[in-house]
Amino acid sequence: LEGLRQDGLPWTPAAARLRARIALLPDLGPVGDADLLAEGDWLLPWLGRARSLADLRGLDLVEPLKARIGWEGQQRLEREAPGQFVTPLGRRVPIDYGGEEPSIELRLQELFGVTRHPAVGGRPLRITLLSPGGRPVQVTMDLPGFWASSYADVRKDMRGRYPRHPWPEDPTAADPTVRAKPRGT
């Protein structure tokens, strides 16, 4: 524990995402490095095998953080600040809680048919809509507003660049997809 106090906590991307989610629910306890290291008892069971600085740096904090908030805290966390957004196609997209607003990135076609803006814990998701090539096309916190206004311009531009992908006139009535049309159709 003293080694971690000197070197700092090793935050993997998954552990950092979990910490950001826990921070949204302040009654689950403070998650700043100083706070976590000051009350180091929660971490002791995972330090039993650590014998060197490399062992400490290789420590994954996901399970210790989950144990720290307990079963009920984990259930509440999943309800109020889920780790993933499930698209209409059933694909799980990780939610990034590192910015001012929780955010996701996914292909525009995966949200066809969605008429209400997705939200987590009562907060709207910041959605970065991607082209079929994976490049950002639009960032929105009002999906119905995007469908009603700037989608027409995006559609015009994208139809020329990606003619094999569907670009319906009314995206709210279209089925979500990640597929392209077969060649020659």
Side-chain angles (χ1 to χ4, degrees), residues 78-82 84-86 95 97 101-104 114 116-127 141 143:
E78 279 306 310
R79 264 191 325 275
E80 297 180 30
Q84 300 173 339
F85 170 75
V86 181
I95 299 174
Y97 288 93
E101 298 295 332
S103 62
I104 58 172
V114 176
R116 292 182 56 205
H117 191 84
V120 292
R123 298 173 64 188
L125 281 172
R126 180 178 177 264
I127 303 173
M141 289 187 68
L143 191 60

Side-chain angles (χ1 to χ4, degrees), residues 77-157:
L77 190 63
E78 279 306 310
R79 264 191 325 275
E80 297 180 30
Q84 300 173 339
F85 170 75
V86 181
T87 70
L89 295 172
R91 191 168 74 88
R92 297 181 176 280
V93 178
I95 299 174
D96 179 12
Y97 288 93
E100 289 182 25
E101 298 295 332
S103 62
I104 58 172
E105 291 186 358
L106 69 159
R107 285 159 119 204
L108 187 144
Q109 287 89 356
E110 285 188 75
L111 290 175
F112 285 165
V114 176
T115 57
R116 292 182 56 205
H117 191 84
V120 292
R123 298 173 64 188
L125 281 172
R126 180 178 177 264
I127 303 173
T128 301
L129 298 167
L130 305 175
S131 71
R135 293 201 171 100
V137 173
Q138 180 84 22
V139 177
T140 185
M141 289 187 68
D142 177 18
L143 191 60
F146 167 72
W147 291 142
S149 60
S150 42
Y151 171 73
D153 293 332
V154 169
R155 177 180 181 261
K156 233 185 297 183
D157 186 38

Side-chain angles (χ1 to χ4, degrees), residues 11 14-19 21-22 28 31 36 42-43 46 60-78 81-84:
W11 293 105
R17 281 192 303 272
L18 179 59
R19 174 167 79 161
R21 289 171 56 206
I22 294 170
L28 291 181
V31 288
L36 292 173
W42 64 277
L43 195 52
W46 281 269
D60 186 3
L61 295 174
V62 171
E63 289 306 314
L65 282 172
K66 285 181 179 179
R68 181 176 173 264
I69 64 173
W71 174 254
E72 289 178 13
Q74 290 177 51
Q75 296 304 306
R76 186 165 161 240
L77 190 63
E78 279 306 310
Q84 300 173 339

Side-chain angles (χ1 to χ4, degrees), residues 4 7-13 15-16 33 43 55-61:
L4 285 176
D7 201 46
L9 292 169
W11 293 105
T12 62
D33 282 21
L43 195 52
D55 292 341
L56 291 177
R57 289 181 180 158
L59 181 66
D60 186 3
L61 295 174

